[in-house]
Amino acid sequence: MTAPRAQAEPKPRSLTEVLSRRGVVTPQDASRLARLMARDWRPPLQYLREQKGLNEQDLLPAVAEYLGMECVESLAEVTAPEEFFDRVPPEYARAEGFVATALADGRLEVAVAAGPDIAHLAAELARTFNCPVHCTLAPLAQVQDAVDRSVRQRPQYLQDAARELDGGELAEDMARLERVTDVGELMRKTPVVKLVSLLIAQAVRTGSTDIHIQPMPDHLRVRFRTDGVLHDILRLPRSSQDAIISRVKVLGNMDIAERRAPQDGRASFRYADREIDVRISVVPTNEGERAVMRLLDKQERLLTLDELGLNEEGVRRLDQLIRYPHGMILVTGPTGSGKTTTLYAALTRLNSAELNIVTIEDPIEYRLPGVSQIQVLAQKDVTFGSMLRSIVRQDPDVIMLGEVRDAEAAEAAVQSALTGHMMFSTLHTNDAAGAFPRLTNLGVEPFLISSAVLAVMAQRLVRRVCPHCTEPDEVPPAELARLGVSAQQARQAAFRRGAGCDRCLGTGYSGRIGIFELLTMDDDIGALVNARSSSSRIRDEALKKGMRPLRLDGAQKAIEGITTVEEVLRVTQRSPV
C-alpha cells in the first residue's frame, strides 16, 4: 500500500491572511487592513510601512511568503556590479527601491524593496541587460544604503559627466539654463546642469556637508567637506567655470550678470525620498568667482543626548541642567563642531505637551515636531535680538537662540534667562571658560552673566575609525605625551586606526562623534566672572572642580579605539590643555 501523496500547501488568498496567520496583526486588524488596502492604489508593503505598530522587519517575511519569494534582512556587504549603474541611473534605483547584488553566469541578481511592480521591474531589467533576472526581497533602507555605497565607490561616475563638457555644449547650456528643483529631473538635462546636480547627489550620498567650486589658474577645483575635512573630488576644465558658476547662481536665484559682488542664495532639492536644502555663497576672487554650497538634509535623523558622545556622567549632568525652570546653557565651539545638533538633542529630550518651546534660527536646519521654529530674516529686521524680544510675549517655557552674534542678542538672551525662561544658545569660543569674557565684551554686565548662566559646554567633532578597515595602532610616545596619556593608560589602551578602504573612500574614517567639556556655574566661578577674571583663571577653577577638558575627553575615546590620537590632536590643537 502506497502512502498518500502530500498535497501542496495552497497559496494564501491575501497578504493580510499571511500577516494574521504569522501573528503580525490580529484577525480583526487584518480585516480592517484588507478593506483599506483595497481602496489604496499603492503597493501593499508601501501602504503597510506607514501603519503605526507595524515594522518592515515583521512585514517582509510575510510579503515574501505571499509572493513566493526569498527575502534577506541585510545588504551590508553588498556592492552593486559596476555594469549595473552604467545602464541604470542610481537616483531611479534608489527612488524605486532596487539594486543589483550580482551579475554573473548570464544572470542578474536584484534585491527589491517590494515597492514597485516586481514582475514589471524584472521584465524591464531583463530587456536592459539581456539576461534572466532573479529578484529577492530586502528592507528599503538596506536597498537605499547599498545604492549609495555602490555609487560612492565609483568616483568615475562624476568623471564621466565631466567629460561631456566641451566648448560648444557649454555655450548652448548658457543660453538655456533653467530652474529645476528635482534631482532626478536634473539628471536628464544638459551636461552642465547634469554635472552640478550629480555633484549635489554625490555629496548627499557621501554624507558631505559642503561643496567647494574653486577656480585655479589652469582648472576648476571641486572639493567635498566630508566628516569635517575637505577632499579633492574633481578637476574640471577652466573653460567650464562661467557655465558652472552661472548654473549655481540660477539654482540660488541670484543675478548671473553680477560678477563683482558677493551673492547669497538658497535652493531646495529632492534626492530620492529626501528633501535637501542648499545654502549657496558666491564671491569674486582674483581667479574668478568661487562658490560654496552647504547641504542640509531635512530628513536626517536627529541624535539623542545619549548618541552625541557624552559619557554616562556627562549625559546625566546635562539632562539635569536642561530641566531647570530658567537660566541659560551655552554650547561653544567653531563653525561645524555640532553645536546646533547638541541643542536639538536637548530640545528633543524636553519636547512634550506641557512645554511651549520656541526656536530662533538662521537657518532652520531640522524640523522639530511640536516646536515653533522661526527663521531670521535680517533684510526685514527679523534679527536674533529683535525676535527674542517679541517671543517672550508668546509665553515660552524654553527658547533656543541659534547664536549669540551681537550685543543686542546677548543682552536679550541674558534678560530672558533672568525673567523665568530656559534659554539655550551657541557662542564661537575655543573653550567653555572663554564664553564669559566673550559675553562681557558684547556689553553684558558680569553680575548678570553669573546670575543667568547655568553651564557652558564646549565641543568638537572627531572622526570615527572606519569599522570596515580598523586595525591596531602603534602610537609614538611623543603623541601620547601631547595627549596627556600616561604609560599605564597606554598599556591598557586599545588604540585603533583605519587602513583605508572603499567604504571610507580610503580615509580610514567613517562618521564623527563629539568630544566635550562641561563647565557648571557655582559661587566660586561666579565670583571670578564678577571680577572680570581671564578665561584661563576661570578654566583653572573649573578644572579644580572636576571639569574634564576637551583633549582629555578625546584621549579617552582614542584609548577606547573610537577615534585616533592624531585626530584628537588635530581638532584640539587650539584648545587649552
Side-chain angles (χ1 to χ4, degrees), residues 317 432-433 436 446 449-450 453-456 518-534 537-547:
R317 291 175 61 197
F436 302 109
I449 298 172
S450 61
V453 175
L454 296 173
V456 183
L518 180 59
L519 185 159
T520 52
M521 179 67 71
D522 63 15
D523 291 342
D524 295 328
I525 291 176
L528 291 174
V529 172
N530 290 338
R532 297 179 183 266
S533 300
S534 66
R537 285 280 310 279
I538 297 172
R539 178 181 177 80
D540 289 343
E541 182 64 29
L543 291 173
K544 291 178 186 176
K545 302 281 186 178
M547 181 184 78

PDB file of all heavy atoms in Angstrom, residues 317 432-433 436 446 449-450 453-456 518-534 537-547:
ATOM      1  N   ARG A 317      24.453  64.738  33.893  1.00  0.00           N
ATOM      2  CA  ARG A 317      24.555  66.138  34.310  1.00  0.00           C
ATOM      3  C   ARG A 317      23.843  67.070  33.347  1.00  0.00           C
ATOM      4  O   ARG A 317      23.127  67.987  33.761  1.00  0.00           O
ATOM      5  CB  ARG A 317      26.024  66.534  34.434  1.00  0.00           C
ATOM      6  CG  ARG A 317      26.754  65.869  35.597  1.00  0.00           C
ATOM      7  CD  ARG A 317      28.228  66.218  35.581  1.00  0.00           C
ATOM      8  NE  ARG A 317      28.438  67.653  35.719  1.00  0.00           N
ATOM      9  CZ  ARG A 317      29.574  68.275  35.417  1.00  0.00           C
ATOM     10  NH1 ARG A 317      30.594  67.577  34.927  1.00  0.00           N
ATOM     11  NH2 ARG A 317      29.701  69.569  35.577  1.00  0.00           N
ATOM     12  N   ALA A 432      35.128  76.329  27.030  1.00  0.00           N
ATOM     13  CA  ALA A 432      33.954  76.704  27.810  1.00  0.00           C
ATOM     14  C   ALA A 432      34.186  77.996  28.591  1.00  0.00           C
ATOM     15  O   ALA A 432      33.322  78.881  28.640  1.00  0.00           O
ATOM     16  CB  ALA A 432      33.581  75.557  28.752  1.00  0.00           C
ATOM     17  N   ALA A 433      35.365  78.131  29.210  1.00  0.00           N
ATOM     18  CA  ALA A 433      35.638  79.311  30.033  1.00  0.00           C
ATOM     19  C   ALA A 433      35.648  80.594  29.213  1.00  0.00           C
ATOM     20  O   ALA A 433      35.369  81.683  29.735  1.00  0.00           O
ATOM     21  CB  ALA A 433      36.975  79.138  30.755  1.00  0.00           C
ATOM     22  N   PHE A 436      32.573  83.467  29.047  1.00  0.00           N
ATOM     23  CA  PHE A 436      32.284  84.573  29.964  1.00  0.00           C
ATOM     24  C   PHE A 436      32.935  85.881  29.525  1.00  0.00           C
ATOM     25  O   PHE A 436      32.251  86.913  29.462  1.00  0.00           O
ATOM     26  CB  PHE A 436      32.704  84.173  31.379  1.00  0.00           C
ATOM     27  CG  PHE A 436      32.020  82.916  31.863  1.00  0.00           C
ATOM     28  CD1 PHE A 436      32.719  81.735  32.014  1.00  0.00           C
ATOM     29  CD2 PHE A 436      30.661  82.922  32.136  1.00  0.00           C
ATOM     30  CE1 PHE A 436      32.089  80.587  32.437  1.00  0.00           C
ATOM     31  CE2 PHE A 436      30.015  81.765  32.567  1.00  0.00           C
ATOM     32  CZ  PHE A 436      30.723  80.599  32.709  1.00  0.00           C
ATOM     33  N   PRO A 446      28.876  91.664  34.071  1.00  0.00           N
ATOM     34  CA  PRO A 446      29.304  90.383  34.645  1.00  0.00           C
ATOM     35  C   PRO A 446      28.333  89.816  35.678  1.00  0.00           C
ATOM     36  O   PRO A 446      28.111  88.610  35.737  1.00  0.00           O
ATOM     37  CB  PRO A 446      30.657  90.712  35.276  1.00  0.00           C
ATOM     38  CG  PRO A 446      31.165  91.866  34.489  1.00  0.00           C
ATOM     39  CD  PRO A 446      29.957  92.671  34.131  1.00  0.00           C
ATOM     40  N   ILE A 449      25.675  87.981  33.967  1.00  0.00           N
ATOM     41  CA  ILE A 449      26.156  86.714  33.385  1.00  0.00           C
ATOM     42  C   ILE A 449      26.209  85.636  34.462  1.00  0.00           C
ATOM     43  O   ILE A 449      25.713  84.522  34.279  1.00  0.00           O
ATOM     44  CB  ILE A 449      27.555  86.906  32.756  1.00  0.00           C
ATOM     45  CG1 ILE A 449      27.502  87.922  31.621  1.00  0.00           C
ATOM     46  CG2 ILE A 449      28.103  85.565  32.262  1.00  0.00           C
ATOM     47  CD1 ILE A 449      28.859  88.324  31.076  1.00  0.00           C
ATOM     48  N   SER A 450      26.794  85.948  35.616  1.00  0.00           N
ATOM     49  CA  SER A 450      26.927  84.944  36.675  1.00  0.00           C
ATOM     50  C   SER A 450      25.573  84.525  37.229  1.00  0.00           C
ATOM     51  O   SER A 450      25.422  83.397  37.709  1.00  0.00           O
ATOM     52  CB  SER A 450      27.814  85.479  37.803  1.00  0.00           C
ATOM     53  OG  SER A 450      27.237  86.643  38.387  1.00  0.00           O
ATOM     54  N   VAL A 453      23.753  82.405  33.647  1.00  0.00           N
ATOM     55  CA  VAL A 453      24.342  81.214  33.017  1.00  0.00           C
ATOM     56  C   VAL A 453      24.399  80.060  34.013  1.00  0.00           C
ATOM     57  O   VAL A 453      24.963  80.174  35.105  1.00  0.00           O
ATOM     58  CB  VAL A 453      25.751  81.525  32.483  1.00  0.00           C
ATOM     59  CG1 VAL A 453      26.408  80.251  31.941  1.00  0.00           C
ATOM     60  CG2 VAL A 453      25.679  82.582  31.384  1.00  0.00           C
ATOM     61  N   LEU A 454      23.819  78.927  33.618  1.00  0.00           N
ATOM     62  CA  LEU A 454      23.870  77.707  34.417  1.00  0.00           C
ATOM     63  C   LEU A 454      25.110  76.874  34.075  1.00  0.00           C
ATOM     64  O   LEU A 454      25.733  76.294  34.952  1.00  0.00           O
ATOM     65  CB  LEU A 454      22.627  76.849  34.170  1.00  0.00           C
ATOM     66  CG  LEU A 454      21.280  77.430  34.573  1.00  0.00           C
ATOM     67  CD1 LEU A 454      20.165  76.514  34.086  1.00  0.00           C
ATOM     68  CD2 LEU A 454      21.211  77.612  36.084  1.00  0.00           C
ATOM     69  N   ALA A 455      25.426  76.800  32.782  1.00  0.00           N
ATOM     70  CA  ALA A 455      26.541  75.962  32.343  1.00  0.00           C
ATOM     71  C   ALA A 455      26.970  76.363  30.945  1.00  0.00           C
ATOM     72  O   ALA A 455      26.187  76.935  30.173  1.00  0.00           O
ATOM     73  CB  ALA A 455      26.150  74.484  32.360  1.00  0.00           C
ATOM     74  N   VAL A 456      28.213  76.046  30.628  1.00  0.00           N
ATOM     75  CA  VAL A 456      28.749  76.219  29.281  1.00  0.00           C
ATOM     76  C   VAL A 456      29.393  74.904  28.868  1.00  0.00           C
ATOM     77  O   VAL A 456      30.183  74.336  29.630  1.00  0.00           O
ATOM     78  CB  VAL A 456      29.794  77.352  29.204  1.00  0.00           C
ATOM     79  CG1 VAL A 456      30.274  77.531  27.765  1.00  0.00           C
ATOM     80  CG2 VAL A 456      29.237  78.648  29.756  1.00  0.00           C
ATOM     81  N   LEU A 518      32.345  70.256  30.033  1.00  0.00           N
ATOM     82  CA  LEU A 518      31.145  70.855  30.615  1.00  0.00           C
ATOM     83  C   LEU A 518      31.526  71.622  31.872  1.00  0.00           C
ATOM     84  O   LEU A 518      32.000  71.040  32.856  1.00  0.00           O
ATOM     85  CB  LEU A 518      30.123  69.766  30.945  1.00  0.00           C
ATOM     86  CG  LEU A 518      28.800  70.223  31.564  1.00  0.00           C
ATOM     87  CD1 LEU A 518      28.075  71.191  30.638  1.00  0.00           C
ATOM     88  CD2 LEU A 518      27.915  69.022  31.873  1.00  0.00           C
ATOM     89  N   LEU A 519      31.342  72.945  31.813  1.00  0.00           N
ATOM     90  CA  LEU A 519      31.641  73.827  32.935  1.00  0.00           C
ATOM     91  C   LEU A 519      30.323  74.276  33.548  1.00  0.00           C
ATOM     92  O   LEU A 519      29.490  74.887  32.865  1.00  0.00           O
ATOM     93  CB  LEU A 519      32.454  75.033  32.454  1.00  0.00           C
ATOM     94  CG  LEU A 519      32.974  76.037  33.479  1.00  0.00           C
ATOM     95  CD1 LEU A 519      34.154  76.813  32.886  1.00  0.00           C
ATOM     96  CD2 LEU A 519      31.907  77.040  33.915  1.00  0.00           C
ATOM     97  N   THR A 520      30.110  73.994  34.827  1.00  0.00           N
ATOM     98  CA  THR A 520      28.876  74.410  35.501  1.00  0.00           C
ATOM     99  C   THR A 520      29.175  75.575  36.442  1.00  0.00           C
ATOM    100  O   THR A 520      30.222  75.625  37.096  1.00  0.00           O
ATOM    101  CB  THR A 520      28.251  73.245  36.287  1.00  0.00           C
ATOM    102  OG1 THR A 520      29.237  72.670  37.138  1.00  0.00           O
ATOM    103  CG2 THR A 520      27.744  72.171  35.335  1.00  0.00           C
ATOM    104  N   MET A 521      28.223  76.478  36.517  1.00  0.00           N
ATOM    105  CA  MET A 521      28.389  77.678  37.339  1.00  0.00           C
ATOM    106  C   MET A 521      28.220  77.333  38.816  1.00  0.00           C
ATOM    107  O   MET A 521      27.330  76.563  39.188  1.00  0.00           O
ATOM    108  CB  MET A 521      27.357  78.728  36.918  1.00  0.00           C
ATOM    109  CG  MET A 521      27.402  80.017  37.711  1.00  0.00           C
ATOM    110  SD  MET A 521      28.918  80.968  37.421  1.00  0.00           S
ATOM    111  CE  MET A 521      28.620  81.526  35.731  1.00  0.00           C
ATOM    112  N   ASP A 522      29.098  77.893  39.664  1.00  0.00           N
ATOM    113  CA  ASP A 522      28.914  77.834  41.109  1.00  0.00           C
ATOM    114  C   ASP A 522      29.386  79.162  41.694  1.00  0.00           C
ATOM    115  O   ASP A 522      29.753  80.088  40.960  1.00  0.00           O
ATOM    116  CB  ASP A 522      29.637  76.633  41.720  1.00  0.00           C
ATOM    117  CG  ASP A 522      31.151  76.678  41.534  1.00  0.00           C
ATOM    118  OD1 ASP A 522      31.683  77.763  41.183  1.00  0.00           O
ATOM    119  OD2 ASP A 522      31.807  75.643  41.745  1.00  0.00           O
ATOM    120  N   ASP A 523      29.395  79.276  43.022  1.00  0.00           N
ATOM    121  CA  ASP A 523      29.721  80.558  43.655  1.00  0.00           C
ATOM    122  C   ASP A 523      31.146  80.994  43.339  1.00  0.00           C
ATOM    123  O   ASP A 523      31.406  82.190  43.095  1.00  0.00           O
ATOM    124  CB  ASP A 523      29.533  80.453  45.165  1.00  0.00           C
ATOM    125  CG  ASP A 523      28.065  80.318  45.558  1.00  0.00           C
ATOM    126  OD1 ASP A 523      27.208  80.649  44.709  1.00  0.00           O
ATOM    127  OD2 ASP A 523      27.780  79.887  46.687  1.00  0.00           O
ATOM    128  N   ASP A 524      32.092  80.052  43.337  1.00  0.00           N
ATOM    129  CA  ASP A 524      33.495  80.420  43.094  1.00  0.00           C
ATOM    130  C   ASP A 524      33.709  80.903  41.663  1.00  0.00           C
ATOM    131  O   ASP A 524      34.392  81.910  41.434  1.00  0.00           O
ATOM    132  CB  ASP A 524      34.404  79.218  43.384  1.00  0.00           C
ATOM    133  CG  ASP A 524      34.387  78.824  44.855  1.00  0.00           C
ATOM    134  OD1 ASP A 524      34.224  79.731  45.689  1.00  0.00           O
ATOM    135  OD2 ASP A 524      34.503  77.623  45.138  1.00  0.00           O
ATOM    136  N   ILE A 525      33.135  80.198  40.711  1.00  0.00           N
ATOM    137  CA  ILE A 525      33.277  80.633  39.315  1.00  0.00           C
ATOM    138  C   ILE A 525      32.507  81.929  39.097  1.00  0.00           C
ATOM    139  O   ILE A 525      32.968  82.838  38.381  1.00  0.00           O
ATOM    140  CB  ILE A 525      32.803  79.518  38.360  1.00  0.00           C
ATOM    141  CG1 ILE A 525      33.780  78.343  38.433  1.00  0.00           C
ATOM    142  CG2 ILE A 525      32.692  80.030  36.928  1.00  0.00           C
ATOM    143  CD1 ILE A 525      33.380  77.138  37.608  1.00  0.00           C
ATOM    144  N   GLY A 526      31.345  82.057  39.743  1.00  0.00           N
ATOM    145  CA  GLY A 526      30.580  83.301  39.641  1.00  0.00           C
ATOM    146  C   GLY A 526      31.364  84.492  40.157  1.00  0.00           C
ATOM    147  O   GLY A 526      31.308  85.588  39.571  1.00  0.00           O
ATOM    148  N   ALA A 527      32.117  84.308  41.242  1.00  0.00           N
ATOM    149  CA  ALA A 527      32.935  85.401  41.787  1.00  0.00           C
ATOM    150  C   ALA A 527      34.018  85.816  40.802  1.00  0.00           C
ATOM    151  O   ALA A 527      34.310  87.012  40.641  1.00  0.00           O
ATOM    152  CB  ALA A 527      33.551  84.965  43.114  1.00  0.00           C
ATOM    153  N   LEU A 528      34.611  84.833  40.113  1.00  0.00           N
ATOM    154  CA  LEU A 528      35.633  85.159  39.110  1.00  0.00           C
ATOM    155  C   LEU A 528      35.022  85.910  37.923  1.00  0.00           C
ATOM    156  O   LEU A 528      35.635  86.832  37.383  1.00  0.00           O
ATOM    157  CB  LEU A 528      36.311  83.875  38.629  1.00  0.00           C
ATOM    158  CG  LEU A 528      37.201  83.149  39.639  1.00  0.00           C
ATOM    159  CD1 LEU A 528      37.686  81.820  39.060  1.00  0.00           C
ATOM    160  CD2 LEU A 528      38.387  84.028  40.037  1.00  0.00           C
ATOM    161  N   VAL A 529      33.824  85.517  37.529  1.00  0.00           N
ATOM    162  CA  VAL A 529      33.148  86.213  36.429  1.00  0.00           C
ATOM    163  C   VAL A 529      32.845  87.651  36.835  1.00  0.00           C
ATOM    164  O   VAL A 529      33.083  88.603  36.071  1.00  0.00           O
ATOM    165  CB  VAL A 529      31.852  85.475  36.033  1.00  0.00           C
ATOM    166  CG1 VAL A 529      31.053  86.301  35.015  1.00  0.00           C
ATOM    167  CG2 VAL A 529      32.170  84.102  35.464  1.00  0.00           C
ATOM    168  N   ASN A 530      32.332  87.835  38.059  1.00  0.00           N
ATOM    169  CA  ASN A 530      32.013  89.188  38.536  1.00  0.00           C
ATOM    170  C   ASN A 530      33.258  90.069  38.625  1.00  0.00           C
ATOM    171  O   ASN A 530      33.181  91.289  38.438  1.00  0.00           O
ATOM    172  CB  ASN A 530      31.345  89.116  39.913  1.00  0.00           C
ATOM    173  CG  ASN A 530      29.953  88.525  39.841  1.00  0.00           C
ATOM    174  OD1 ASN A 530      29.318  88.537  38.781  1.00  0.00           O
ATOM    175  ND2 ASN A 530      29.462  87.998  40.959  1.00  0.00           N
ATOM    176  N   ALA A 531      34.409  89.442  38.878  1.00  0.00           N
ATOM    177  CA  ALA A 531      35.665  90.197  38.967  1.00  0.00           C
ATOM    178  C   ALA A 531      36.316  90.399  37.601  1.00  0.00           C
ATOM    179  O   ALA A 531      37.444  90.906  37.526  1.00  0.00           O
ATOM    180  CB  ALA A 531      36.632  89.464  39.902  1.00  0.00           C
ATOM    181  N   ARG A 532      35.612  89.973  36.522  1.00  0.00           N
ATOM    182  CA  ARG A 532      36.128  90.090  35.148  1.00  0.00           C
ATOM    183  C   ARG A 532      37.474  89.359  34.985  1.00  0.00           C
ATOM    184  O   ARG A 532      38.387  89.836  34.299  1.00  0.00           O
ATOM    185  CB  ARG A 532      36.271  91.553  34.720  1.00  0.00           C
ATOM    186  CG  ARG A 532      34.966  92.320  34.678  1.00  0.00           C
ATOM    187  CD  ARG A 532      35.178  93.769  34.267  1.00  0.00           C
ATOM    188  NE  ARG A 532      33.944  94.519  34.287  1.00  0.00           N
ATOM    189  CZ  ARG A 532      33.134  94.718  33.233  1.00  0.00           C
ATOM    190  NH1 ARG A 532      33.497  94.203  32.068  1.00  0.00           N
ATOM    191  NH2 ARG A 532      32.042  95.423  33.346  1.00  0.00           N
ATOM    192  N   SER A 533      37.599  88.202  35.622  1.00  0.00           N
ATOM    193  CA  SER A 533      38.823  87.414  35.520  1.00  0.00           C
ATOM    194  C   SER A 533      39.001  86.873  34.115  1.00  0.00           C
ATOM    195  O   SER A 533      38.030  86.720  33.351  1.00  0.00           O
ATOM    196  CB  SER A 533      38.795  86.256  36.522  1.00  0.00           C
ATOM    197  OG  SER A 533      38.694  86.731  37.839  1.00  0.00           O
ATOM    198  N   SER A 534      40.227  86.525  33.773  1.00  0.00           N
ATOM    199  CA  SER A 534      40.522  85.990  32.448  1.00  0.00           C
ATOM    200  C   SER A 534      39.946  84.588  32.316  1.00  0.00           C
ATOM    201  O   SER A 534      39.655  83.904  33.304  1.00  0.00           O
ATOM    202  CB  SER A 534      42.036  85.950  32.220  1.00  0.00           C
ATOM    203  OG  SER A 534      42.636  85.009  33.107  1.00  0.00           O
ATOM    204  N   ARG A 537      41.952  81.914  34.222  1.00  0.00           N
ATOM    205  CA  ARG A 537      41.669  81.807  35.651  1.00  0.00           C
ATOM    206  C   ARG A 537      40.379  81.025  35.883  1.00  0.00           C
ATOM    207  O   ARG A 537      40.307  80.173  36.782  1.00  0.00           O
ATOM    208  CB  ARG A 537      41.519  83.211  36.252  1.00  0.00           C
ATOM    209  CG  ARG A 537      42.806  83.977  36.448  1.00  0.00           C
ATOM    210  CD  ARG A 537      43.550  83.552  37.722  1.00  0.00           C
ATOM    211  NE  ARG A 537      42.714  83.529  38.905  1.00  0.00           N
ATOM    212  CZ  ARG A 537      42.385  84.604  39.638  1.00  0.00           C
ATOM    213  NH1 ARG A 537      42.846  85.805  39.277  1.00  0.00           N
ATOM    214  NH2 ARG A 537      41.645  84.490  40.715  1.00  0.00           N
ATOM    215  N   ILE A 538      39.375  81.328  35.088  1.00  0.00           N
ATOM    216  CA  ILE A 538      38.091  80.628  35.233  1.00  0.00           C
ATOM    217  C   ILE A 538      38.256  79.154  34.894  1.00  0.00           C
ATOM    218  O   ILE A 538      37.719  78.275  35.577  1.00  0.00           O
ATOM    219  CB  ILE A 538      37.028  81.289  34.334  1.00  0.00           C
ATOM    220  CG1 ILE A 538      36.768  82.732  34.767  1.00  0.00           C
ATOM    221  CG2 ILE A 538      35.731  80.485  34.347  1.00  0.00           C
ATOM    222  CD1 ILE A 538      35.875  83.522  33.820  1.00  0.00           C
ATOM    223  N   ARG A 539      39.052  78.879  33.872  1.00  0.00           N
ATOM    224  CA  ARG A 539      39.283  77.494  33.467  1.00  0.00           C
ATOM    225  C   ARG A 539      40.008  76.715  34.570  1.00  0.00           C
ATOM    226  O   ARG A 539      39.637  75.571  34.886  1.00  0.00           O
ATOM    227  CB  ARG A 539      40.102  77.471  32.174  1.00  0.00           C
ATOM    228  CG  ARG A 539      40.438  76.064  31.693  1.00  0.00           C
ATOM    229  CD  ARG A 539      41.261  76.117  30.419  1.00  0.00           C
ATOM    230  NE  ARG A 539      41.638  74.770  29.995  1.00  0.00           N
ATOM    231  CZ  ARG A 539      40.844  73.936  29.354  1.00  0.00           C
ATOM    232  NH1 ARG A 539      39.607  74.302  29.059  1.00  0.00           N
ATOM    233  NH2 ARG A 539      41.259  72.733  29.023  1.00  0.00           N
ATOM    234  N   ASP A 540      41.011  77.316  35.163  1.00  0.00           N
ATOM    235  CA  ASP A 540      41.753  76.649  36.232  1.00  0.00           C
ATOM    236  C   ASP A 540      40.826  76.295  37.393  1.00  0.00           C
ATOM    237  O   ASP A 540      40.924  75.205  37.982  1.00  0.00           O
ATOM    238  CB  ASP A 540      42.893  77.531  36.724  1.00  0.00           C
ATOM    239  CG  ASP A 540      44.022  77.659  35.710  1.00  0.00           C
ATOM    240  OD1 ASP A 540      44.076  76.810  34.782  1.00  0.00           O
ATOM    241  OD2 ASP A 540      44.825  78.606  35.811  1.00  0.00           O
ATOM    242  N   GLU A 541      39.944  77.199  37.712  1.00  0.00           N
ATOM    243  CA  GLU A 541      38.998  76.937  38.805  1.00  0.00           C
ATOM    244  C   GLU A 541      38.040  75.802  38.434  1.00  0.00           C
ATOM    245  O   GLU A 541      37.736  74.936  39.259  1.00  0.00           O
ATOM    246  CB  GLU A 541      38.202  78.207  39.121  1.00  0.00           C
ATOM    247  CG  GLU A 541      37.220  78.083  40.280  1.00  0.00           C
ATOM    248  CD  GLU A 541      37.912  77.802  41.604  1.00  0.00           C
ATOM    249  OE1 GLU A 541      39.080  78.235  41.782  1.00  0.00           O
ATOM    250  OE2 GLU A 541      37.289  77.137  42.463  1.00  0.00           O
ATOM    251  N   ALA A 542      37.588  75.793  37.182  1.00  0.00           N
ATOM    252  CA  ALA A 542      36.680  74.729  36.741  1.00  0.00           C
ATOM    253  C   ALA A 542      37.376  73.375  36.768  1.00  0.00           C
ATOM    254  O   ALA A 542      36.766  72.355  37.130  1.00  0.00           O
ATOM    255  CB  ALA A 542      36.165  75.038  35.338  1.00  0.00           C
ATOM    256  N   LEU A 543      38.664  73.349  36.411  1.00  0.00           N
ATOM    257  CA  LEU A 543      39.410  72.091  36.442  1.00  0.00           C
ATOM    258  C   LEU A 543      39.548  71.578  37.874  1.00  0.00           C
ATOM    259  O   LEU A 543      39.480  70.372  38.131  1.00  0.00           O
ATOM    260  CB  LEU A 543      40.789  72.276  35.807  1.00  0.00           C
ATOM    261  CG  LEU A 543      40.809  72.506  34.287  1.00  0.00           C
ATOM    262  CD1 LEU A 543      42.216  72.855  33.811  1.00  0.00           C
ATOM    263  CD2 LEU A 543      40.289  71.283  33.546  1.00  0.00           C
ATOM    264  N   LYS A 544      39.745  72.504  38.823  1.00  0.00           N
ATOM    265  CA  LYS A 544      39.802  72.108  40.231  1.00  0.00           C
ATOM    266  C   LYS A 544      38.472  71.484  40.671  1.00  0.00           C
ATOM    267  O   LYS A 544      38.448  70.609  41.540  1.00  0.00           O
ATOM    268  CB  LYS A 544      40.117  73.317  41.109  1.00  0.00           C
ATOM    269  CG  LYS A 544      41.522  73.860  40.953  1.00  0.00           C
ATOM    270  CD  LYS A 544      41.705  75.088  41.844  1.00  0.00           C
ATOM    271  CE  LYS A 544      43.040  75.751  41.607  1.00  0.00           C
ATOM    272  NZ  LYS A 544      43.163  77.002  42.417  1.00  0.00           N
ATOM    273  N   LYS A 545      37.376  71.967  40.073  1.00  0.00           N
ATOM    274  CA  LYS A 545      36.048  71.470  40.445  1.00  0.00           C
ATOM    275  C   LYS A 545      35.708  70.158  39.738  1.00  0.00           C
ATOM    276  O   LYS A 545      34.618  69.617  39.920  1.00  0.00           O
ATOM    277  CB  LYS A 545      34.988  72.506  40.070  1.00  0.00           C
ATOM    278  CG  LYS A 545      35.186  73.867  40.699  1.00  0.00           C
ATOM    279  CD  LYS A 545      34.723  73.900  42.130  1.00  0.00           C
ATOM    280  CE  LYS A 545      34.805  75.312  42.699  1.00  0.00           C
ATOM    281  NZ  LYS A 545      34.314  75.388  44.077  1.00  0.00           N
ATOM    282  N   GLY A 546      36.617  69.667  38.898  1.00  0.00           N
ATOM    283  CA  GLY A 546      36.394  68.369  38.275  1.00  0.00           C
ATOM    284  C   GLY A 546      36.017  68.399  36.809  1.00  0.00           C
ATOM    285  O   GLY A 546      35.665  67.351  36.249  1.00  0.00           O
ATOM    286  N   MET A 547      36.088  69.563  36.151  1.00  0.00           N
ATOM    287  CA  MET A 547      35.771  69.614  34.725  1.00  0.00           C
ATOM    288  C   MET A 547      36.797  68.814  33.924  1.00  0.00           C
ATOM    289  O   MET A 547      38.003  68.961  34.135  1.00  0.00           O
ATOM    290  CB  MET A 547      35.744  71.069  34.223  1.00  0.00           C
ATOM    291  CG  MET A 547      35.396  71.199  32.749  1.00  0.00           C
ATOM    292  SD  MET A 547      35.480  72.899  32.130  1.00  0.00           S
ATOM    293  CE  MET A 547      37.263  73.099  31.941  1.00  0.00           C
TER     294      MET A 547
END
